[in-house]
Amino acid sequence: EDKVVQSPLSLVVHEGDTVTLNCSYEVTNFRSLLWYKQEKKAPTFLFMLTSSGIEKKSGRLSSILDKKELFSILNITATQTGDSAVYLCAVGTTSGTYKYIFGTGTRLKVLA
Amino acid sequence: GAVVSQHPSRVICKSGTSVKIECRSLDFQATTMFWYRQFPKQSLMLMATSNEGSKATYEQGVEKDKFLINHASLTLSTLTVTSAHPEDSSFYICSAALWGTQTYNEQFFGPGTRLTVL
């Protein structure tokens, strides 16, 4: 059975800290791994990763994929209170039909 | 970027009524749309994959007669919750997949519909 597991489930840090969120997966026919940030409504797209070892970066956020070890990490440096959200990892797979399997999410709270 | 709209954003209905939720891709043609359900403080659970012009593929445990999905065009998919009950109260989110050489793996989310069944 395909599955995506994120850790930790929740995290509380102070402004300025650096956090690393983990996403591991076991799927057949892996196509891509996507990171999303979800605040009150629908998730907003952060990164899409398809190749191992290539870091994607956007401001204070960065992410990398390891297709051999089947995991990805999302790093946030110099955290701010506005980074407080649930971070979701989703894996695109073509086992059966093309679909995305979401992880459990990591709830991040950044304290001032 | 690709925009997906969802309507209504919020609906409150009585038990036993049916509710239709629309999902539209506004500036691209979406061959595939996905319907998710999210309970409070939980992740997104895929309900079904909807392909234009064909029957939806439902995930295990999702009743296809309860959650009717129609994908009549490349820009519109609808989810109808039939004979809604309080346990159907949830946040329903659709997404549309953009196919192409660079972006075939991306999906774009609608803003979601919060359904409350009294």
Side-chain angles (χ1 to χ4, degrees), chain A residues 42-99:
Chain A
T44 54
F45 175 79
L46 295 175
F47 298 111
M48 179 180 73
L49 304 158
T50 56
S51 302
S52 263
I54 299 173
E55 185 182 51
K56 294 235 174 163
K57 207 167 165 59
S58 176
R60 296 177 294 103
L61 277 67
S62 64
S63 183
I64 197 161
L65 172 67
D66 185 330
K67 288 168 77 173
K68 184 180 175 188
E69 299 298 328
L70 309 183
F71 78 93
S72 172
I73 59 171
L74 174 68
N75 276 321
I76 309 175
T77 58
T79 52
Q80 302 171 357
T81 54
D83 295 327
S84 297
V86 175
Y87 290 84
L88 296 166
C89 167
V91 173
T93 167
T94 53
S95 51
T97 59
Y98 190 103
K99 62 184 178 184

Side-chain angles (χ1 to χ4, degrees), chain B residues 37-100:
Chain B
R37 184 174 179 177
Q38 187 175 34
F39 291 106
K41 297 194 177 181
Q42 293 189 26
S43 190
L44 276 70
M45 183 193 80
L46 179 65
M47 298 174 67
T49 302
S50 168
N51 290 297
E52 184 265 338
S54 62
K55 288 184 181 179
T57 301
Y58 290 82
E59 293 299 298
Q60 197 170 9
V62 178
E63 298 174 61
K64 61 182 180 182
D65 295 330
K66 171 79 172 173
F67 299 99
L68 299 178
I69 291 171
N70 183 277
H71 193 159
S73 76
L74 285 171
T75 59
L76 173 65
S77 177
T78 60
L79 167 69
T80 301
V81 183
T82 61
S83 187
H85 290 284
E87 58 265 28
D88 298 324
S89 299
S90 189
F91 191 51
Y92 292 88
I93 310 176
C94 74
S95 72
L98 180 62
W99 295 90

Side-chain angles (χ1 to χ4, degrees), chain B residues 102-116:
Chain B
Q102 296 297 323
T103 57
Y104 71 99
N105 285 313
E106 288 194 52
Q107 61 172 336
F108 299 90
F109 284 95
T113 296
R114 187 162 300 283
L115 170 65
T116 303

Side-chain angles (χ1 to χ4, degrees), chain B residues 20-45:
Chain B
K20 182 188 278 190
I21 303 170
E22 290 187 349
C23 178
R24 291 181 187 271
S25 56
L26 297 184
D27 51 1
F28 68 100
Q29 292 185 328
T31 311
T32 302
M33 288 185 174
F34 303 93
W35 286 96
Y36 296 88
R37 184 174 179 177
Q38 187 175 34
F39 291 106
K41 297 194 177 181
Q42 293 189 26
S43 190
L44 276 70
M45 183 193 80

